[in-house]
């Protein structure tokens, strides 16, 4: 039975009594609305560690758009069942007050890479991500933390933060998982209209087409996407584009 943890002191007690120095601990931080992408991280953590904890916290500081935060799907009952079925041991459900007792006075900022790609279009987004991940890693004190490569920029920033701040934890990348039609799993997919849901897999098809970047951008525009960016970094094509008011991101190795 996955145990729900609703306070930091409750987690500290369990950690000190049952885990510290005795068992390896894997951690999967999430914002809930779990899908097969998240489940692949949980499976990996369960396989590689004695104990797995998953946090569900819709982190307000990483949303630059109030409506995006308001519309973010919350599916706690379904999430708990999925986690239970996968053998996750603990579900950590912190509140905003627990995570931000400082009212977000202390912020982790990366000054270079975080200002590009998604960071160039979502002001403050990666400050919010890095700050919450550092806080969660400090609270949970895991050996291994798992992040999906769909958020390739996020994964790299977190990996580099762990190195820069000498965090005692492995940051482990996990492969991007796609729906049968090629659309990368994302909690936001459920917000697409039925018509845009049919269109959405074209994002993957276009960035896999091996055409010049400008041609790919044009192809996406012709299909009805509003492109935030489409760039090549380290041999990888990275894209963010809107269908209606839903922002999708994806990436493929060139
Ligand atoms: O990838 C996410 O779901 C979030 O950015 C994370 C890492 C849980 C931080 O809120």
């Amino acid at each position: 039975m996955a145990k729900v943890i609703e306070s930091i002191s409750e987690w500290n007690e369990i950690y000190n009594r049952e885990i510290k120095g005795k068992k390896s601990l894997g951690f999967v931080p999430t914002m809930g609305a779990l899908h097969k992408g998240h489940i692949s991280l949980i499976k990996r953590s369960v396989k590689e560690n004695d104990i797995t904890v998953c946090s569900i916290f819709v982190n307000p500081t990483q949303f630059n758009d109030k409506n995006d935060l308001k519309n973010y799907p919350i599916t706690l009952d379904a999430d708990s069942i999925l986690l239970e079925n996968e053998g996750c041991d603990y579900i950590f459900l912190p509140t905003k007050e627990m995570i931000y007792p400082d009212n977000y006075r202390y912020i982790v900022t990366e000054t270079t890479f975080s200002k590009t790609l998604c960071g160039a279009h979502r002001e403050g987004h990666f400050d919010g991500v890095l700050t919450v991940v550092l806080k969660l890693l400090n609270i949970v004190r895991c050996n291994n933390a798992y992040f999906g490569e769909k958020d390739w920029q996020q994964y790299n920033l977190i990996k580099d933060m762990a190195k820069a701040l000498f965090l005692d934890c492995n940051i482990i990348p996990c492969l991007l998982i796609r729906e049968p039609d090629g659309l990368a799993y994302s909690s936001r997919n459920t917000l697409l209209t039925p018509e845009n849901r049919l269109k959405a897999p074209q994002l993957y098809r276009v960035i896999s087409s091996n055409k010049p970047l400008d041609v790919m951008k044009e192809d996406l525009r012709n299909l009805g996407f509003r492109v935030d960016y489409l760039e090549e970094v380290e041999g990888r094509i990275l894209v963010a584009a809107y269908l209606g008011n839903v922002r999708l991101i994806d990436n493929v190795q060139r």
Side-chain angles (χ1 to χ4, degrees), residues 29-31 57 59 62 129 132-133 147 151 154:
T30 78
M31 298 205 297
F57 176 60
N59 173 36
Q62 70 188 75
V129 169
V132 80
V133 170
F147 295 88
D151 298 297
Q154 167 175 285

Side-chain angles (χ1 to χ4, degrees), residues 4-74:
V4 173
I5 307 290
E6 287 180 309
S7 77
I8 296 174
S9 56
E10 193 185 352
W11 174 249
N12 286 342
E13 250 173 57
I14 292 171
Y15 178 81
N16 287 325
R17 195 178 59 232
E18 294 174 16
I19 300 169
K20 189 177 175 184
K22 296 183 189 134
K23 291 186 170 158
S24 63
L25 180 61
F27 176 40
V28 181
T30 78
M31 298 205 297
L34 303 183
H35 49 67
K36 286 198 178 154
H38 295 114
I39 294 309
S40 72
L41 312 188
I42 298 286
K43 278 189 194 299
R44 180 134 178 226
S45 175
V46 167
K47 194 166 153 210
E48 295 180 358
N49 301 277
D50 298 324
I51 301 285
T52 289
V53 54
C54 173
S55 63
I56 297 179
F57 176 60
V58 183
N59 173 36
T61 64
Q62 70 188 75
F63 287 82
N64 56 317
D65 172 352
K66 283 201 180 82
N67 278 329
D68 190 23
L69 174 59
K70 207 174 80 199
N71 295 332
Y72 201 83
I74 295 182

Side-chain angles (χ1 to χ4, degrees), residues 59 99 166 217:
N59 173 36
I99 295 293
F166 307 101
K217 266 190 213 164

